[in-house]
Amino acid sequence: MGSTFSGIELGKRSIMANTDAITTAGHNISNASTEGYSRQRIHIKEFDPLYRPDLTRADRAGMIGQGVDVHSIERVRDEMLDQRIVGQANVESYWDTRSNYYTMLEQIYNEPEDVSIRTNMDKFWEGWQELSIHPESQAARQAVVTRGETLTETIKQRWESLSGVGNLINGDIKATVKEVNSLTRQIAEVNEQIVSSRAMGDNPNDLLDRRDLLVDKLSSLINISTDQRDNDEFMVHVDGKILVQGSAARNLELVPAGDDTGYSKVIWADTGKNAVFSGGKLGALVELRDVDVRQEMQSLNSMTMNFADLVNDVHRNAVGANKITGLDFFVQHPFVENTNGNFDRNGDGELDSSYLFRFTGTNQLDLQQQVGIEGVMTLSGKNGNVEIPYYHTDTVETVIGRINDSASEVKAYLDRNNNLVLKGTSASDSANPDFVIRHVEDSGFFLSGYAGILGGNGAANAYDFARADAVNSLNDNAQFAVAPVFNPSAYIEVNSAIKNDVMSVAAGYMDPSGAAPLGDGRAAVEIASIRNSKIMVGSMKTFDDYFADSVTNVGLKGEQAELNLASQNAIMDDLRNMRDSISGVNIDEELSEIMKFQHGYNAAAKFINVWDSMLDTIINRLGV
């Protein structure tokens, strides 16, 4: 039979349950503005009845209830929605990061028209045109030198601006890697606390909220996914690799990139392998630094290198008013002092490579003439060597166009003497040096007997930079130039010998007397004509193509980042609003819950008061 005092216990359970419910609602209200907090709900069930349906139960109808019990306090959370948010957050932060940095790049290219590189280069060409009209004029020569100095300063200023953005991104990468390591370590620590709490039968709602908040922050930095195993082991993955497993977390590490930039690369601390991320802030930063900014700097270097090389090629073969010849107008710093470009690439003390930038053939060619021979040229490319066929019906112009349209990192054109020129471009792979021709081979005779660049055909006569004295593979009379020091746009300047004596500026070509004929401005005309010549600056045919392409490229990529960011913001706003509607705290709703359970508390207290009165009657008054 039921206990005389069972009602007191029943009322006590009701008071405790209503107290827990009011406390839970108060906890929700207190954390209404707490980041990452999920509202909690108390789950109440009836307490086990006094009599169970077995052979020992009393001979009476039904079971006597014993009140209420708090089954659990759980947070309101949609795990599928959480996974969608984690999966999308890295895309939003990726485009947000790109948009922010492309705003900086756009500001670099949005120069005032009167001080831009393009304007100063136009003035430089105009100076040569003026000199071609007045080849004896000292003032015209001074104008060329002054405008050349202004142009080089503008080029160096843009390089410094691009380099500054690259350095800023590199610093941001270092900070982001530290933040990733901190978050993964915290997630692992919270995982351990959650497992310990659940092992004791508790439901660690606040710890789960803490972990979800950390995962949300981590998902904005790198592209992660999460997984909950049956044994309560929580895991974080990134591109199929385990980042956090239970209480264990992998760390990222920064090591020198090993190139001329001085930047750091991200590796896995436990394996030493490169850590590559396809999304998130860190993925965007690495891509911006190693691809976008690097390409902009390479494009500027390509323009500068070819610009200086072409002007110098004409100028050193012309003569100044003071009868001085052989001077380069712009200073060029060769990568190595060795005249054959030999270089110790692996640092073992032995010369093992050849760093050459340009080859010039010995034979004069006609663009419209059919080559009349067949073969396959093999040139170094972005991802290994590239094969370029040519046929006997092809014209010289067709073959040159096929080289320039290929994926090779070697470009071709005919110079002012109609000799074939091959030039190395900037390298797509950072492991390869810029402006170095790495491989040239021809199964036929176009590059050897026809153009006069190689000494012979076939693999045995191929030029390959991965050996010293590779120049021995060239035609005996072919000209070549040693590759420049990295980043020529950082150090380009007018030759000090010309600045000290402007009469050294060459306007014409030397006659038998050792001076230019009176009124000879042919060299000045030739330099001025470079402005619109097809000189293949990287993938751009003229300098005007370079300026148009560089501004358009930055503008379009900035626009792309802004549009994709707006799209992702809209998607994430919908997802976050949906999560807030499910997990967010509504003050009015919580107040109504408090009022409901307050009435329950008062009723339970009244019930205990009535039961106390009944007990008082039984104990103190019965039988009196």
Side-chain angles (χ1 to χ4, degrees):
M1 63 177 291
S3 169
T4 302
F5 296 94
S6 62
I8 297 292
E9 186 66 23
L10 188 151
K12 185 190 76 171
R13 293 193 187 100
S14 179
I15 284 179
M16 291 177 65
N18 283 286
T19 299
D20 288 345
I22 293 172
T23 302
T24 301
H27 183 55
N28 288 338
I29 293 174
S30 300
N31 289 280
S33 300
T34 301
E35 183 184 13
Y37 180 79
S38 303
R39 66 189 176 97
Q40 299 178 10
R41 281 291 173 262
I42 188 168
H43 294 276
I44 299 175
K45 72 175 184 67
E46 66 279 6
F47 197 78
D48 293 335
L50 184 60
Y51 292 104
R52 297 181 180 277
D54 54 27
L55 297 177
T56 61
R57 63 178 293 176
D59 187 14
R60 58 189 296 175
M63 294 184 293
I64 300 175
Q66 294 194 90
V68 69
D69 188 22
V70 175
H71 178 260
S72 64
I73 299 175
E74 298 179 354
R75 61 184 191 143
V76 181
R77 199 83 175 188
D78 187 333
E79 293 185 1
M80 292 296 295
L81 181 59
D82 287 342
Q83 290 182 355
R84 288 185 62 192
I85 292 175
V86 168
Q88 286 288 330
N90 76 88
V91 182
E92 181 185 38
S93 59
Y94 171 87
W95 289 114
D96 183 45
T97 304
R98 287 187 64 85
S99 178
N100 291 336
Y101 276 103
Y102 260 97
T103 299
M104 298 183 191
L105 292 176
E106 287 173 349
Q107 291 171 350
I108 293 174
Y109 284 89
N110 288 339
E111 299 171 308
E113 186 175 351
D114 56 340
V115 295
S116 67
I117 294 179
R118 182 167 192 167
T119 299
N120 286 325
M121 183 170 282
D122 287 342
K123 291 178 180 179
F124 180 72
W125 301 131
E126 290 167 3
W128 284 104
Q129 288 177 333
E130 183 69 21
L131 180 60
S132 69
I133 299 172
H134 306 287
E136 296 83 16
S137 171
Q138 181 176 351
R141 283 179 165 79
Q142 183 63 60
V144 167
V145 173
T146 302
R147 290 176 179 179
E149 290 181 301
T150 303
L151 175 59
T152 56
E153 287 300 318
T154 309
I155 291 173
K156 287 190 283 189
Q157 186 177 32
R158 176 170 292 185
W159 185 89
E160 290 173 359
S161 298
L162 290 172
S163 179
V165 173
N167 292 336
L168 185 63
I169 295 174
N170 189 60
D172 208 350
I173 289 174
K174 293 180 179 179
T176 304
V177 167
K178 291 181 180 179
E179 190 174 359
V180 168
N181 287 338
S182 174
L183 289 172
T184 54
R185 183 175 61 254
Q186 291 179 67
I187 291 172
E189 291 173 354
V190 174
N191 280 342
E192 187 174 14
Q193 296 175 35
I194 290 173
V195 171
S196 299
S197 178
R198 281 180 168 165
M200 294 186 291
D202 293 334
N203 198 16
N205 295 319
D206 293 334
L207 289 175
L208 291 170
D209 282 344
R210 172 66 177 161
R211 184 175 69 186
D212 285 345
L213 177 61
L214 293 171
V215 169
D216 280 351
K217 291 182 176 181
L218 183 61
S219 68
S220 68
L221 301 180
I222 54 178
N223 49 301
I224 63 170
S225 59
T226 59
D227 179 33
Q228 182 82 41
R229 293 191 173 182
D230 294 336
N231 61 356
D232 207 31
E233 186 177 57
F234 183 82
M235 301 180 67
V236 179
H237 303 271
V238 52
D239 286 333
K241 299 178 181 65
I242 296 175
L243 186 60
V244 178
Q245 182 174 8
S247 59
R250 297 180 70 188
N251 280 337
L252 301 175
E253 190 175 330
L254 291 166
V255 297
D259 54 24
D260 63 300
T261 61
Y263 294 152
S264 302
K265 65 178 180 178
V266 185
I267 64 171
W268 293 106
D270 52 353
T271 65
K273 295 182 178 180
N274 290 341
V276 180
F277 304 100
S278 57
K281 181 180 179 180
L282 184 56
L285 288 171
V286 173
E287 183 180 7
L288 280 163
R289 185 195 67 183
D290 296 345
V291 178
D292 295 81
V293 174
R294 179 171 180 263
Q295 286 179 349
E296 293 302 319
M297 295 178 72
Q298 284 184 323
S299 180
L300 180 63
N301 284 331
S302 293
M303 184 278 296
T304 303
M305 183 61 199
N306 283 276
F307 165 71
D309 185 63
L310 290 166
V311 172
N312 287 345
D313 186 43
V314 176
H315 196 272
R316 76 170 67 94
N317 290 292
V319 62
N322 55 7
K323 296 184 179 182
I324 293 179
T325 187
L327 284 179
D328 286 340
F329 188 85
F330 294 108
V331 174
Q332 287 183 303
H333 298 294
F335 185 77
V336 292
E337 294 299 328
N338 188 290
T339 56
N340 287 340
N342 293 333
F343 177 64
D344 176 17
R345 193 180 186 199
N346 58 16
D348 64 355
E350 297 290 333
L351 299 175
D352 53 29
S353 302
S354 298
Y355 276 40
L356 301 182
F357 162 61
R358 169 172 39 83
F359 301 152
T360 303
T362 59
N363 303 331
Q364 291 187 347
L365 306 182
D366 182 353
L367 283 175
Q368 304 307 319
Q369 183 180 21
Q370 290 185 341
V371 297
I373 51 179
E374 294 187 357
V376 177
M377 291 177 287
T378 304
L379 306 176
S380 52
K382 298 177 181 178
N383 302 303
N385 293 333
V386 176
E387 293 186 347
I388 305 168
Y390 57 91
Y391 310 97
H392 69 277
T393 55
D394 289 337
T395 63
V396 173
E397 186 175 26
T398 302
V399 177
I400 290 176
R402 200 170 290 148
I403 293 173
N404 294 332
D405 293 338
S406 71
S408 73
E409 292 182 338
V410 177
K411 300 302 176 183
Y413 66 93
L414 295 186
D415 66 5
R416 59 191 178 87
N417 296 319
N418 290 323
N419 297 130
L420 180 65
V421 178
L422 296 182
K423 281 185 177 181
T425 65
S426 56
S428 176
D429 187 348
S430 59
N432 294 323
D434 288 341
F435 310 116
V436 171
I437 299 177
R438 301 193 304 279
H439 190 84
V440 177
E441 180 183 340
D442 191 355
S443 67
F445 294 92
F446 179 78
L447 293 178
S448 56
Y450 192 83
I453 290 180
L454 292 177
N457 67 327
N461 295 295
Y463 171 90
D464 193 276
F465 91 121
R467 66 174 186 267
D469 292 321
V471 294
N472 293 334
S473 298
L474 302 180
N475 186 292
D476 290 339
N477 297 316
Q479 297 180 1
F480 59 87
V482 176
V485 174
F486 299 122
N487 299 314
S489 54
Y491 59 77
I492 182 175
E493 61 181 355
V494 177
N495 193 329
S496 58
I498 293 177
K499 288 190 290 186
N500 294 333
D501 182 6
V502 296
M503 300 308 288
S504 298
V505 175
Y509 291 107
M510 188 182 299
D511 62 11
S513 68
L518 188 64
D520 183 11
R522 289 176 297 164
V525 170
E526 197 168 336
I527 292 177
S529 67
I530 295 174
R531 175 180 188 175
N532 297 312
S533 300
K534 293 184 178 181
I535 42 76
M536 295 307 302
V537 184
S539 61
M540 285 72 74
K541 292 182 172 60
T542 67
F543 289 112
D544 283 345
D545 290 336
Y546 160 77
F547 292 115
D549 183 82
S550 59
V551 174
T552 302
N553 181 61
V554 170
L556 288 177
K557 286 188 176 181
E559 180 184 42
Q560 178 193 39
E562 289 180 4
L563 291 175
N564 283 309
L565 175 60
S567 175
Q568 286 301 317
N569 281 341
I571 293 172
M572 291 301 295
D573 285 346
D574 288 342
L575 292 175
R576 291 184 180 116
N577 289 337
M578 190 181 303
R579 181 170 66 181
D580 288 343
S581 68
I582 296 172
S583 303
V585 176
N586 185 303
I587 301 296
D588 293 336
E589 183 180 348
E590 300 305 321
L591 289 174
S592 67
E593 289 288 302
I594 290 175
M595 293 174 64
K596 179 177 73 174
F597 290 110
Q598 182 186 13
H599 288 305
Y601 184 95
N602 292 337
K606 182 65 176 176
F607 171 79
I608 292 176
N609 187 51
V610 170
W611 197 272
D612 177 68
S613 178
M614 293 168 60
L615 289 176
D616 180 69
T617 299
I618 293 173
I619 295 172
N620 297 318
R621 300 182 187 182
L622 189 64
V624 177

